[in-house]
Structure formats: C-alpha cells, structure tokens
Amino acid sequence: MDFKNKIDLNRLPKHIAIIMDGNGRWAKQQGEQRIFGHHNGVSSVRETTETAAELGVKYLTLYAFSTENWNRPKEEVEALMELLVHTISKETPTLLKNGIKLETIGDIDSLPRSCIYELNEAKKATAAGDRMTLILALSYSAKWEIIRAVQQIAEAVKDGSMQPNEIDESVFASKLCTAGIPDPELMIRTSGEHRISNFLLWQLSYAEFYFTEVLWPDFRKEDLYAAIYDYQNRERRFGKTSEQIQ
Ligand code: FPP
C-alpha cells in the first residue's frame, strides 16, 4: 500500500521515538556476526532520519545503547562504540546540510572519551539546526534517568530552594534528560518484540505504540510511513470517552 500519500501532514506526530531492535538476528540470518547487523542498521538510521525530517517531524529519538547494553560481550560493546564514533563524524556534514540538530540523552560521561568528543563536536556543529532534532539515547535507561531526577529534586529540597509541595509534573519533567522536548506521541519498536525495555518510561505515558516484525536493518521509509499512517488512525482519548473526543 502507498502509505506516504495517505499520511495527513497536518497531523504528524511531533516526536517519534524508536527502539531499533533485531540487528543481531538480522546478522544471524545472513550467517554473519552480530556487529554486521549493527553496521547495516546505520543505513536504517540514515534513511529514517532523512525521511522523518522530510515529512516535517520535529523530534526523532533513537534508542542506540541502553544502560543494560553494557552487559553485552566486551567485543560487541567496543565495536558498537567504534561504529558510533565513526558514524557520527561521517554523518555530521549531512545533518548540518539538512538542518538537523543532534542531541543526546543518557549517561554520556560513561561513554569512551573518543565518543564523548565526537558527540560534543557534532552537537556544537549542528546546534543551529531548526528543521528537526535527532536525539540519540546512549547509555540511557529510564530508571537511571528517573532516579537522577529524584536525586536533583531531593537536593533542592534539602538546600531549601524547593518546597515538597512545589513538586509537580512540570518540575519533575524539567529534571529529566528530555527537559524542554515534547513527549513522543508515537513509539515504534522493530523485530516483533513487544516490550518497552526501560525506554522513556515517563515520557511515553500517553504515546501510541507501534510494533513491527521488520528487523531494524531492513527498516525503510515505507515502514516509517506505515507506522505514521497507523498512528493517524488511532483514537487518542487521554482518559476521556470516545464521545468527548468527537
Ligand atoms: C538492537 O539490536 C540494536 C542495538 C542495541 C544497537 C543499535 C545501533 C545501531 C543501529 C547502529 C549505530 C547507531 C547510530 C545511532 C549511529 P540487537 O543487537 O538487540 O538485536 P537482536 O535483538 O536481534 O539481538
């Protein structure tokens, strides 16, 4: 089906978040090592980023490396970090050309020095991009982020700069890595897994979830169009009744 022409450009999700899954299985299907899948996943990152920006999506968050991913075999972690460094430095001119600003969420200080350096350079170079913001979740987990926010709030209460009764949703959200970024309306997960895997637990409270069997290295623009079309055919009630929404 031609999903692109069916998408209503006036009702696009402003923010799409993606759990890119299935690289390892894709590589295995080809009789290759897992890292081969990650390398091929970069083409999907590129195509998805370009397509989202072309459509007019304002924020795209990609779950590239979770806190739990540190527990993978050392060689895979090292290869992923190398791939990240290489990809960021190679793709920065394209981001710049397309008005895409790079941001990160997660425990960036825990990444290798070369990675931190490339990320900082790319963030500085693309800071003026106003077409779309690409947010890479790196060494990220929602529980880590929430605990960190709680610690910051506890410190503020302890030093007297905040009263407990001043803590509300907006104060809490302002302490998350995503402060200032609207919550995703659509969350896509590839590879047939139906889990949230410690991703944006607070921010996805009212997101629509879209699961596809497609493995991440096979994810192409048509798959993104299909997800957005599916999203546009959902009724988002936010706790109200269907009649109230009409
Ligand atoms: C999940 O597949 C994928 C990852 C943990 C890494 C994603 C990284 C990339 C696509 C490449 C680099 C990214 C950027 C943003 C430059 P998996 O390994 O869990 O697959 P499996 O479930 O089949 O084992």
Side-chain angles (χ1 to χ4, degrees):
M1 212 202 294
D2 177 14
F3 290 110
K4 189 184 180 190
N5 287 322
K6 292 187 187 298
I7 292 175
D8 178 353
L9 294 177
N10 297 313
R11 290 194 304 119
L12 282 175
K14 209 177 203 180
H15 185 173
I16 300 179
I18 306 184
I19 301 181
M20 310 180 286
D21 199 8
N23 293 352
R25 277 163 284 164
W26 187 88
K28 201 170 169 197
Q29 283 175 4
Q30 323 274 321
E32 297 282 353
Q33 302 287 317
R34 296 177 54 80
I35 190 67
F36 183 70
H38 298 315
H39 275 270
N40 281 275
V42 173
S43 311
S44 309
V45 169
R46 196 180 297 120
E47 185 160 330
T48 303
T49 305
E50 275 175 23
T51 307
E54 269 166 27
L55 280 173
V57 171
K58 297 310 282 181
Y59 299 88
L60 175 68
T61 298
L62 302 178
Y63 205 3
F65 194 85
S66 71
T67 308
E68 290 78 17
N69 286 154
W70 289 114
N71 298 321
R72 290 194 172 195
K74 190 167 166 274
E75 313 78 65
E76 183 174 344
V77 171
E78 283 174 2
L80 263 170
M81 291 299 150
E82 239 173 70
L83 179 62
L84 204 67
V85 171
H86 177 76
T87 307
I88 291 161
S89 73
K90 187 163 166 269
E91 299 294 336
T92 299
T94 314
L95 295 177
L96 197 56
K97 200 177 84 200
N98 287 289
I100 300 171
K101 177 180 174 176
L102 184 76
E103 289 279 1
T104 54
I105 54 172
D107 186 10
I108 302 306
D109 290 342
S110 68
L111 299 171
R113 286 239 301 268
S114 55
C115 220
I116 300 175
Y117 175 80
E118 287 302 341
L119 285 168
N120 284 339
E121 290 297 299
K123 282 193 223 176
K124 265 189 273 168
T126 62
D130 58 2
R131 191 162 168 223
M132 186 179 86
T133 302
L134 171 65
I135 302 149
L136 296 183
L138 291 165
S139 192
Y140 172 87
S141 78
K143 287 188 178 178
W144 166 84
E145 176 188 43
I146 288 170
I147 296 289
R148 182 174 156 274
V150 170
Q151 287 171 347
Q152 288 175 27
I153 292 171
E155 284 295 338
V157 171
K158 190 171 145 206
D159 72 21
S161 57
M162 192 186 290
Q163 297 303 311
N165 63 4
E166 288 171 350
I167 304 166
D168 59 13
E169 284 190 21
S170 72
V171 166
F172 194 78
S174 76
K175 304 295 180 195
L176 296 173
C177 301
T178 50
I181 297 171
D183 288 344
E185 297 96 328
L186 171 62
M187 195 286 288
I188 301 171
R189 182 171 189 151
T190 58
S191 89
E193 305 290 358
H194 295 192
R195 284 190 294 278
I196 194 165
S197 299
N198 219 344
F199 186 44
L200 301 174
L201 297 181
W202 171 278
Q203 298 88 337
L204 293 176
S205 300
Y206 265 103
E208 296 296 327
F209 287 7
Y210 178 85
F211 299 104
T212 170
E213 295 293 320
V214 174
L215 302 177
W216 180 250
D218 287 331
F219 194 86
R220 287 292 166 267
K221 54 171 71 157
E222 290 73 22
D223 300 300
L224 184 66
Y225 298 144
I228 295 174
Y229 178 71
D230 190 273
Y231 159 83
Q232 291 188 332
N233 283 288
R234 308 248 182 122
E235 184 182 62
R236 306 192 74 213
R237 290 195 294 276
F238 302 98
K240 295 183 180 168
T241 66
S242 196
E243 291 69 30
Q244 285 175 301
I245 301 299
Q246 301 306 319

